[in-house]
Amino acid sequence: MASSAGLALRGQALVVRGGGRFLVTSTAGSDDDILFTYDCSSAEKKPQENKGEDRQPVDKGSDTILASTFSQSGSYFALTDDSKRLILFRTKPWQCLSVRSVVRRCTALTFTASEEKVLVADKSGDVYSFSVLEPHGCGKLELGHLSMLLDVAVSPDDRFVLTADRDEKIRVSWALAPHSIESFCLGHTEFVSRICVVPEHPELLLSSSGDCTLRLWEYRHGRELHCCHLPSLQEPAEPWGNKRFAASRITYWGRESCVALLCDCIPVVYIFQLDVPRQQLVYKQQLSFQHRVWDIAFEETQGLWVLQDHKEAPLVLCRPEDGQWQSVPENAAVKKVCTHLRGNWAMLEGSSGADDGFSSLYKATFDHVTTYLKKKEERLQQQQKRLRDLPSGPNGQTKRVRTGPASRSCPS
């Protein structure tokens, strides 16, 4: 699930969110100030109609932002929060267009390629669509799963809706008839945390899971092309070597055909290169950080932006130099954005130490055979102990004590 601190980039517009607030600034090296700020606590809230036994509203929720995204052109920006609201913005210039209620708390959202709709996935397994052209229109139920949805994506031609759920499945549905399923991408052995359609190769899909794998698919036919086991890439001495982890972000950089993968509980970003002719992912490098990494995003012209839990340097810019990725010295753009974030650090403080929630999604395992054998051994030990405690007879033999009712002789 989404972290309360996050990063979104489109063009040179950079959005940093934390708690119930976000700010927008530019990655250009100019002296432009903050372009826009927004606080979800100031947004319109729907009156609570459901009341408990004491006639008080229940399940109020907070204003924490759960997920956010740009449209493909960067003309729109949308977010969902813990108060079950979908908030839509126009970005040129920045303006809030609407605040709409959603049925349940959302886990992910995305714009269609045509930018006519926003698709919102929720915890109950449903996907609703909301019109962008009619910003106050109600949502429409498009499709549903039997388990919690964790991510949603659309194909670049808007023909397919791809959904990832807690029960290890990736479903590919027709957008115009979501009840018609084109394929399933099956192979993960834990919840599917993130999916990403490769923009320059629209037939390819990247996915990550709680099973610690990154997989490449030809999704329309549900065919797995490559699987990379992340634990095999770690150094034995790394302190998180035995931890279970899932990716909280997959992002793609078309300029170098690079894939960056951020995991939820380790301060490492994995870098891969997508080899399309060979249909595989080639591991290149891992970037290690001293502080927790909240989110990552590629900017087409500059490189990989990394948002971390460090007030003095909240944003780091990484680029490939001589074939190796490394952080660049603080230039004018990095310095300007970091200054803005330090001045608004209060919105990020609540994210320090916060859990992304993936730990609760792992399957619980029960070893009934081991439990049975353990209880059987305990019973045998108790029986042997009772036999040892019985008194001995005159010849050293243990007397058997009859515990049942006394027998009665038949009358003669």
Side-chain angles (χ1 to χ4, degrees):
M1 317 229 309
S3 168
S4 56
L7 187 64
L9 260 168
R10 188 68 68 197
Q12 292 184 328
L14 183 145
V15 175
V16 178
R17 60 179 172 86
R21 297 174 53 203
F22 73 85
L23 66 83
V24 187
T25 186
S26 173
T27 59
S30 62
D31 294 330
D32 294 339
D33 205 342
I34 294 176
L35 303 178
F36 185 75
T37 59
Y38 190 82
D39 191 339
C40 291
S41 63
S42 64
E44 176 187 357
K45 291 188 178 181
K46 182 180 179 181
Q48 293 282 350
E49 297 179 357
N50 298 325
K51 298 182 181 293
E53 296 180 356
D54 56 356
R55 306 301 298 169
Q56 295 297 315
V58 297
D59 196 21
K60 291 183 178 180
S62 66
D63 299 316
T64 301
I65 300 172
L66 302 178
S68 62
T69 189
F70 276 103
S71 65
Q72 182 62 35
S73 69
S75 299
Y76 297 98
F77 180 77
L79 65 84
T80 60
D81 68 4
D82 195 53
S83 294
K84 302 179 184 177
R85 294 175 297 186
L86 170 66
I87 307 178
L88 178 66
F89 299 86
R90 178 188 291 118
T91 64
K92 300 173 184 178
W94 278 85
Q95 176 189 0
C96 179
L97 295 179
S98 66
V99 179
R100 287 176 278 189
S101 296
V102 294
V103 177
R104 295 176 181 84
R105 288 183 178 86
C106 301
T107 54
L109 75 164
T110 188
F111 285 88
T112 58
S114 65
E115 302 188 359
E116 295 179 355
K117 298 178 182 178
V118 183
L119 300 182
V120 179
D122 64 30
K123 289 187 173 182
S124 67
D126 295 330
V127 173
Y128 286 82
S129 65
F130 291 82
S131 175
V132 174
L133 305 179
E134 298 177 5
H136 296 283
C138 296
K140 174 187 175 184
L141 178 63
E142 297 288 350
L143 59 88
H145 283 232
L146 295 178
S147 63
M148 179 192 299
L149 287 179
L150 299 178
D151 207 359
V152 59
V154 294
S155 60
D157 57 6
D158 276 344
R159 295 179 66 192
F160 300 104
V161 177
L162 297 88
T163 44
D165 68 19
R166 184 180 181 178
D167 288 343
E168 311 163 7
K169 299 189 302 298
I170 301 170
R171 183 200 295 182
V172 182
S173 307
W174 283 88
L176 294 180
H179 60 276
S180 178
I181 299 173
E182 178 72 3
S183 67
F184 285 98
C185 298
L186 304 176
H188 285 295
T189 57
E190 280 287 355
F191 58 89
V192 182
S193 57
R194 290 290 177 265
I195 55 176
C196 174
V197 178
V198 181
E200 296 182 351
H201 305 282
E203 75 282 3
L204 300 180
L205 174 74
L206 296 163
S207 69
S208 61
S209 165
D211 61 11
C212 302
T213 63
L214 174 65
R215 301 181 191 232
L216 178 66
W217 308 84
E218 194 280 291
Y219 62 84
R220 187 167 180 181
H221 297 96
R223 186 162 62 98
E224 182 181 306
L225 303 177
H226 186 76
C227 177
C228 182
H229 294 270
L230 301 179
S232 66
L233 307 178
Q234 297 177 358
E235 298 294 334
E238 289 175 341
W240 52 85
N242 296 324
K243 279 188 176 181
R244 296 188 300 182
F245 53 86
S248 56
R249 179 71 66 194
I250 303 175
T251 184
Y252 178 79
W253 194 28
R255 183 173 169 180
E256 299 282 344
S257 297
C258 283
V259 177
L261 183 74
L262 171 66
C263 296
D264 65 323
C265 61
I266 58 176
V268 166
V269 176
Y270 294 96
I271 304 293
F272 298 85
Q273 187 167 28
L274 177 60
D275 187 343
V276 176
R278 296 184 178 181
Q279 298 184 334
Q280 65 181 10
L281 293 162
V282 180
Y283 171 68
K284 289 296 184 181
Q285 186 182 347
Q286 70 178 35
L287 302 174
S288 299
F289 297 86
Q290 296 297 319
H291 306 276
R292 179 186 178 184
V293 178
W294 281 320
D295 208 350
I296 56 175
F298 276 116
E299 183 183 359
E300 194 63 29
T301 58
Q302 298 207 58
L304 182 68
W305 289 88
V306 179
L307 178 65
Q308 61 177 353
D309 186 6
H310 184 44
K311 186 175 181 180
E312 297 306 314
L315 270 175
V316 178
L317 179 60
C318 300
R319 294 175 182 162
E321 298 287 345
D322 298 326
Q324 288 291 310
W325 283 80
Q326 53 189 323
S327 59
V328 301
E330 192 174 81
N331 56 24
V334 177
K335 184 177 181 180
K336 182 193 69 173
V337 177
C338 287
T339 300
H340 290 327
L341 291 182
R342 283 193 291 268
N344 292 270
W345 189 252
M347 75 176 186
L348 296 171
E349 282 183 330
S351 301
S352 298
D355 182 16
D356 285 341
F358 286 128
S359 59
S360 63
L361 301 180
Y362 287 93
K363 292 182 293 188
T365 57
F366 302 94
D367 191 347
H368 297 291
V369 174
T370 301
T371 303
Y372 166 76
L373 293 175
K374 182 179 178 181
K375 290 183 177 181
K376 181 179 179 181
E377 181 66 22
E378 291 175 353
R379 288 196 301 269
L380 291 175
Q381 291 178 357
Q382 291 174 358
Q383 291 175 1
Q384 292 175 359
K385 183 176 183 301
R386 284 198 298 267
L387 290 175
R388 288 196 299 269
D389 293 341
L390 290 175
S392 300
N395 297 327
Q397 296 179 347
T398 301
K399 291 184 177 180
R400 294 186 177 271
V401 178
R402 181 173 294 175
T403 57
S407 61
R408 295 181 180 178
S409 57
C410 297
S412 57

